[in-house]
Amino acid sequence: MTHRPFPRLGAPLLLAVGALTLAGCSSFGAAGPSTRDIRAAGTAHDPASDILIVDLDRPVAGRIADLTERRSFANVFGDTLVAAPLIERGDLIAVTMWEAPPAVLFGTSGSSRPSEDPMVASSTSLPEQRVDEDGAIAIPFAGRVQVAGRTPAQVQREIVARLRGKANDPQAIVRLVDNQSSNVTILGEVANSRRVPLSARGERLLDILAQAGGPTEDVDKVTIRLTRGTRAETMPLEAVILDPTQNVPLRADDVVTVIHQPYSFIALGAVQRNAEVPFEGGGLSLAQALGRIGGLRDDRSDVRGVFVFRFEDLGALPPELAASASATRDGRVPVIYRLDLSQPAGLFVAQDFAMRDDDVLYVSSAPGADLQRFIATLTSFALSSIAIGNSL
């Protein structure tokens, strides 16, 4: 039996290995910066030195949650109901006056004809009046009455006081028919952008939203921006609905802007799925974010290198870091939060840390993971070469 001699593949294989090794230096790069590179970014003498590296633990997560709570509608704008709207210039006022029998001043009924029963009280309803530029209205037998900046009840008492001695036990009712001054403006992604007058009932945020026809987009994709004077804060509509304390009473000249803003974060690196991932306005924890992308890759990820890249508010940083941080024009600081999932406590921190819109979640590759990929590829190539040689 004749045996085919084993092919001499040593030299070609070494050449192939050498070529593949050189190619591997450029073709087996990592999916992003390593854990060491990111940790060094905060101390390097280059533009990246403005970046803060913050280890994510329970106190840090708690500080961020406290900042979010401090900027909620309930904390910023309060839950105090406002008094009945005051009468202001341009408002439409209705006044009705009564006189007890026997009527002396108003001897006619509301139908402008003499009362058939002298023992029945007589009333007079005045034509509706706009409050003039001087803030006054005219009342027969009482003269001009200043009403701007006063409540209807205060105006009633003054009218009665002026008629006393002229009419027999006078009474009066003042109604605010058309409120032109105490309004809330609502605009944006609503069915009907408009100015909504406030009443003595004390309208809240969701009342005004309902009067505007509600949002035109899905609730979980809508944020509400409430502006009062020079202060403005933004919250997801879903968070306002789920927490009744955030449904705050509104005041005159408040502006409510309804914004269509789907929330999302970007997942990169050694994770199961690199993608832009949408999430609900009600919020998403870091643990949930990792779950939505399928978790970390067992064969590549560095469990000590889970990072969240964010432009953070100064108020969320420890005082010693905030004092020296370089902020952007809008007052935010580039921060990288690092989570160590090799410790059990890291899983609890991941549940406490809330993701924000536009966050970048990055998981670095484990040291040696790319070398292992290279060796596996090299081994596969070598075995293929031997198999081809044996077939010759």
Side-chain angles (χ1 to χ4, degrees):
M1 182 177 181
T2 303
H3 295 278
R4 180 180 297 178
F6 188 81
R8 298 174 61 85
L9 295 176
L13 181 60
L14 288 176
L15 290 175
V17 169
L20 191 57
T21 301
L22 292 175
C25 294
S26 59
S27 62
F28 285 90
S34 66
T35 301
R36 182 175 59 183
D37 292 337
I38 294 177
R39 291 183 67 86
T43 58
H45 297 290
D46 56 25
S49 60
D50 289 337
I51 299 174
L52 296 180
I53 312 297
V54 179
D55 287 330
L56 192 53
D57 53 21
R58 297 295 288 273
V60 171
R63 188 180 299 109
I64 296 172
D66 289 343
L67 175 65
T68 303
E69 178 64 23
R70 290 198 303 271
R71 291 187 171 177
S72 67
F73 290 165
N75 279 336
V76 174
F77 302 110
D79 193 38
T80 305
L81 289 172
V82 219
L86 301 179
I87 301 172
E88 298 294 349
R89 293 170 180 81
D91 290 350
L92 189 63
I93 304 299
V95 178
T96 302
M97 298 176 291
W98 282 267
E99 184 179 8
V104 176
L105 193 59
F106 307 120
T108 59
S109 65
S111 59
S112 300
R113 63 179 182 179
S115 174
E116 297 177 356
D117 188 349
M119 300 308 294
V120 174
S122 298
S123 66
T124 297
S125 294
L126 302 182
E128 295 176 352
Q129 300 182 64
R130 290 279 178 193
V131 180
D132 62 23
E133 59 183 9
D134 295 329
I137 58 174
I139 303 295
F141 307 107
R144 288 175 56 80
V145 179
Q146 289 292 324
V147 298
R150 307 173 72 181
T151 66
Q154 291 172 328
V155 176
Q156 288 172 190
R157 287 193 291 269
E158 179 166 348
I159 292 175
V160 169
R162 291 194 183 190
L163 293 177
R164 192 168 287 122
K166 300 177 182 179
N168 185 28
D169 191 15
Q171 304 292 324
I173 289 181
V174 176
R175 291 187 302 111
L176 185 56
V177 178
D178 184 14
N179 181 359
Q180 292 292 316
S181 55
S182 296
N183 296 279
V184 170
T185 301
I186 181 166
L187 45 87
E189 302 297 332
V190 291
N192 182 21
S193 296
R194 54 178 297 205
R195 295 177 66 203
V196 181
L198 296 175
S199 67
R201 173 178 174 269
E203 282 76 12
R204 293 179 176 267
L205 177 58
L206 295 182
D207 298 329
I208 299 298
L209 181 59
Q211 292 191 47
T216 57
E217 303 292 340
D218 294 339
V219 169
D220 60 349
K221 297 179 181 179
V222 169
T223 58
I224 303 292
R225 184 170 183 83
L226 177 55
T227 305
R228 178 174 296 168
T230 59
R231 186 68 186 266
E233 294 296 342
T234 303
M235 285 190 68
L237 175 57
E238 190 174 43
V240 176
I241 294 173
L242 294 176
D243 184 2
T245 62
Q246 306 303 331
N247 186 24
V248 294
L250 298 184
R251 297 183 181 177
D253 299 325
D254 282 354
V255 178
V256 179
T257 308
V258 181
I259 307 168
H260 176 222
Q261 184 179 0
Y263 287 87
S264 66
F265 70 91
I266 298 174
L268 298 173
V271 294
Q272 296 292 346
R273 183 167 66 97
N274 283 206
E276 181 179 4
V277 183
F279 63 95
E280 301 76 21
L284 185 78
S285 70
L286 176 54
Q288 291 172 314
L290 289 170
R292 293 199 179 185
I293 57 176
L296 281 59
R297 289 188 55 170
D298 295 340
D299 59 335
R300 292 189 55 195
S301 63
D302 180 3
V303 293
R304 295 180 177 85
V306 178
F307 300 95
V308 175
F309 291 68
R310 170 184 297 175
F311 283 98
E312 186 62 272
D313 296 312
L314 278 172
L317 299 175
E320 61 275 11
L321 292 180
S324 58
S326 298
T328 59
R329 290 183 177 180
D330 58 354
R332 298 188 298 170
V333 180
V335 175
I336 303 175
Y337 291 106
R338 172 182 174 267
L339 178 65
D340 184 357
L341 285 180
S342 66
Q343 302 297 323
L347 294 174
F348 290 101
V349 176
Q351 295 180 58
D352 290 339
F353 183 82
M355 299 293 290
R356 289 187 190 165
D357 188 34
D358 293 332
D359 278 353
V360 175
L361 172 58
Y362 172 74
V363 179
S364 62
S365 298
D370 293 311
L371 178 60
Q372 292 177 6
R373 291 174 58 206
F374 172 70
I375 293 175
T377 304
L378 182 62
T379 303
S380 175
F381 176 83
L383 292 176
S384 299
S385 299
I386 293 173
I388 293 173
N390 288 337
S391 64
L392 296 177

